[in-house]
Amino acid sequence: MAAQENSPLRQFVRKALVRTAVGLVGIQAATIGGLVGYDALTKKSRKVRAGFPKPGHYGTDVANSDVDVFTFGADLFDDMLEQIDNAAQTVFLESFIWKGDEYGQKFLDAVNRASERGVDVRVVYDGFGNLVVPDKFYQFHKDVHVYRFPVFRPRLLITPIRASGFTHRKLLIVDDQVAYIGGYNLGSTYATEWRDTHLRVRGPDSWVLRQSFVTVWNTVAAREDKIPRMDPPEWDSRVRCWSNLPMRRVYPIRGMYLQAIDRAKDHIYISTPYFIPDHQILDALIRAQERGVDVRILVPMDSNHVLADWGSRGFYVTLLKAGVTLLLYKDAMIHAKTATIDGVWSTVGTANIDRLSLSFNYEVNLEIIDNDLAAVMERVFEVDSSNAHRLTLDEWQARHPLAWVGEAALAPLRPLL
């Protein structure tokens, strides 16, 4: 037996496998290094066109709540700051990125002022998302309750990695009556240079977003300062909140998308900054297109994460061959995480259609079944599409051969991008 295990053939196979694995890792490392280096060299020459189309600010009624759609960061931030300054009881704020710049300072000053006048202020932000922001920026009033998601958690040593994600959520809830959700992080770049989408919900349906914040605060952040429960003012199934909670290994947003896609009969319009779907979501979109649904996916032509772009591009041929419309947003970063289907169903939230959002991070999305809101979301998608290049299969297959190599090299890393 020992002689068989050490036979020349087995030794040759073992060495060949090791060399192949090392070679693949080397190719991946070289690809990543080359892409990151090229992106850094060319980033300064890629200018943001300040006049990219702004879809506007829309208001509509959903059940017994007022819902506003914001598509320009400065307008949204000014509205959020006004709400914080007028807060009388509570301010709950959560953000993935909180920049130490002009707008970041405005939000810091606003929550400190609120706490100073006796408002119960709870703040959650992510440590990993803000590694480049100096710690000295986060100078909160002594009465502000703050939880910074740590970059490293000891529990990672004893629990599956899927049970310990980052908080990628963006929420603001004021006085249990007004709530905001969407893709906007806090910072000056996002105020004027990025295209994103946020909702403001005023009325009883704001409760679902309050409850989402409370759940994370009371299970992850709180020690003895837990937030008391508030019963829902009413029940209306047209507005639902889906929250990914890694500490409980619960990831319902992916299921929300799969059910909605499978119900589609006419059209599916999706905006996402990073499109790296798993096989089930990819197959669901292709099946929808094959049964006659008009499937359109809007992504940035060049996002702020070059590796995510290349991970996404590996799906383009499959989608284009199936007849799916791919729209590449030009001249600015589009960061909206939205979808609308059949003029009835819509979602706005924090989750991208990628592996990190759908099976790792803390995320939150609103699902709203309402014709008027769907009409607004279709209008926003139409305006964004007017600033996008429609990619064709012939055009994409004619790309440089090195692009094919890069896409193939990064394919095994898609779950990490």
Side-chain angles (χ1 to χ4, degrees), residues 64-65 175-178 202-211 229-236:
N64 293 318
S65 297
D175 287 347
D176 302 329
Q177 286 295 317
V178 181
R202 185 192 300 270
D205 289 312
S206 65
W207 179 87
V208 295
L209 294 174
R210 179 194 189 274
Q211 187 65 17
R229 173 178 169 81
M230 185 180 82
D231 290 332
E234 62 181 33
W235 180 281
D236 193 315

Side-chain angles (χ1 to χ4, degrees), residues 17-289:
L17 290 173
V18 170
R19 288 172 180 170
T20 300
V22 171
L24 289 174
V25 171
I27 291 172
Q28 289 174 341
T31 301
I32 291 171
L35 290 174
V36 171
Y38 178 78
D39 183 66
L41 288 173
T42 60
K43 186 169 288 185
K44 291 183 179 179
S45 64
R46 297 198 301 265
K47 295 182 179 180
V48 173
R49 182 166 62 87
F52 65 86
K54 301 173 182 63
H57 173 198
Y58 302 87
T60 186
D61 296 330
V62 177
N64 293 318
S65 297
D66 297 326
V67 177
D68 284 72
V69 181
F70 289 87
T71 64
F72 189 59
D75 296 339
L76 169 71
F77 292 162
D78 291 346
D79 195 80
M80 293 170 70
L81 290 166
E82 182 180 358
Q83 290 293 331
I84 295 172
D85 282 335
N86 291 330
Q89 297 173 339
T90 58
V91 171
F92 303 152
L93 177 62
E94 185 171 359
S95 185
F96 176 56
I97 295 174
W98 189 335
K99 292 290 189 182
D101 54 23
E102 179 184 359
Y103 265 100
Q105 187 67 51
K106 287 182 178 181
F107 276 94
L108 183 63
D109 293 342
V111 297
N112 284 340
R113 286 194 301 269
S115 182
E116 204 170 303
R117 64 178 183 267
V119 175
D120 179 13
V121 179
R122 315 288 177 114
V123 168
V124 177
Y125 68 101
D126 194 79
F128 178 80
N130 296 284
L131 282 174
V132 299
V133 181
D135 289 343
K136 63 181 181 181
F137 166 73
Y138 301 102
Q139 299 296 317
F140 293 99
H141 186 274
K142 61 181 179 62
D143 293 330
V144 175
H145 304 266
V146 182
Y147 182 74
R148 177 185 173 110
F149 264 70
V151 177
F152 174 76
R153 305 170 185 82
R155 66 177 297 178
L156 280 173
L157 301 175
I158 57 174
T159 59
I161 192 169
R162 290 183 73 241
S164 184
F166 305 118
T167 180
H168 191 245
R169 295 154 36 114
K170 298 93 178 171
L171 289 173
L172 172 64
I173 303 95
V174 178
D175 287 347
D176 302 329
Q177 286 295 317
V178 181
Y180 298 80
I181 180 177
Y184 277 104
N185 291 292
L186 303 181
S188 298
T189 297
Y190 317 119
T192 58
E193 298 180 16
W194 284 28
R195 237 302 287 133
D196 212 328
T197 300
H198 233 70
L199 295 185
R200 182 185 68 194
V201 181
R202 185 192 300 270
D205 289 312
S206 65
W207 179 87
V208 295
L209 294 174
R210 179 194 189 274
Q211 187 65 17
S212 180
F213 181 92
V214 169
T215 298
V216 169
W217 182 271
N218 286 352
T219 55
V220 178
R223 298 295 185 270
E224 298 178 355
D225 55 343
K226 293 191 176 183
I227 303 171
R229 173 178 169 81
M230 185 180 82
D231 290 332
E234 62 181 33
W235 180 281
D236 193 315
S237 61
R238 285 194 283 165
V239 180
R240 297 182 181 180
C241 182
W242 300 102
S243 299
N244 286 357
L245 301 171
M247 79 286 195
R248 295 179 179 172
R249 302 185 206 178
V250 173
Y251 302 90
I253 297 175
R254 179 175 173 273
M256 174 200 74
Y257 266 109
L258 285 171
Q259 289 189 30
I261 292 168
D262 284 342
R263 285 175 175 268
K265 296 184 290 185
D266 186 73
H267 60 269
I268 299 172
Y269 300 157
I270 294 173
S271 295
T272 182
Y274 318 111
F275 182 74
I276 307 176
D278 59 34
H279 290 299
Q280 279 189 286
I281 289 183
L282 183 67
D283 289 346
L285 290 169
I286 290 173
R287 286 198 308 271
Q289 182 68 40

Side-chain angles (χ1 to χ4, degrees), residues 330-392:
K330 301 181 294 185
D331 303 319
M333 172 63 183
I334 186 165
H335 193 248
K337 302 101 166 27
T338 68
T340 188
I341 296 178
D342 287 355
V344 177
W345 179 95
S346 302
T347 185
V348 177
T350 70
N352 307 308
I353 300 184
D354 63 15
R355 314 297 180 86
L356 290 176
S357 280
L358 298 184
S359 59
F360 179 73
N361 285 334
Y362 288 81
E363 305 279 2
V364 56
N365 269 53
L366 272 191
E367 177 188 39
I368 301 177
I369 301 172
D370 182 82
N371 299 75
D372 292 338
L373 181 68
V376 169
M377 298 309 298
E378 288 184 4
R379 173 58 182 158
V380 171
F381 191 86
E382 179 185 358
V383 175
D384 288 336
S385 298
S386 71
N387 190 50
H389 170 70
R390 180 169 181 169
L391 190 64
T392 67

